[in-house]
Amino acid sequence: MSLRVGVRELRDNLAEYLEASMPIEVTRHGQTIGFYIPVPKKPSQSERDALLEAGRRMREEMEHMGITEDELVAGFKEWRKKAHAA
């Protein structure tokens, strides 16, 4: 998915768009002339620690519930099928 902006909009708000995390489709007179694709930023140590903690808590909760990773993935896939069918 990308954000679509005109050249003038991009120029007027360049600093904001350079901080974007999703690709930006650049247009001129409604025609695509290019894309800006940001390089993912390296997570900070605190962000990395938070992700590791979330993973640890998820593992603990799965053990508490008595489900495996495969069962969790299968349940998620089934949920997505139902959500897209509705």
Side-chain angles (χ1 to χ4, degrees), residues 64-80:
H64 176 74
M65 295 176 70
I67 62 173
T68 66
E69 196 173 312
D70 290 337
E71 291 169 328
L72 181 67
V73 170
F76 179 72
K77 286 180 179 179
E78 185 63 30
W79 173 81
R80 284 188 65 193

Side-chain angles (χ1 to χ4, degrees), residues 47-62:
E47 290 171 319
R48 185 177 182 280
D49 291 344
L51 287 172
L52 290 171
E53 176 63 15
R56 185 188 64 72
R57 287 182 173 184
M58 182 70 163
R59 233 183 354 267
E60 287 177 358
E61 188 63 26
M62 289 170 56

Side-chain angles (χ1 to χ4, degrees), residues 4-8 26-33:
R4 186 177 169 124
V5 299
V7 173
R8 184 174 294 153
V26 183
T27 63
R28 180 183 292 139
H29 305 295
Q31 299 295 311
T32 300
I33 60 168

Side-chain angles (χ1 to χ4, degrees), residues 6-7 9-10 13 16 20 29-30 37 63-64 66 69 71 84:
V7 173
E9 168 73 14
L10 179 67
N13 299 294
E16 178 184 332
H29 305 295
I37 303 174
E63 287 174 9
H64 176 74
E69 196 173 312
E71 291 169 328
H84 289 303

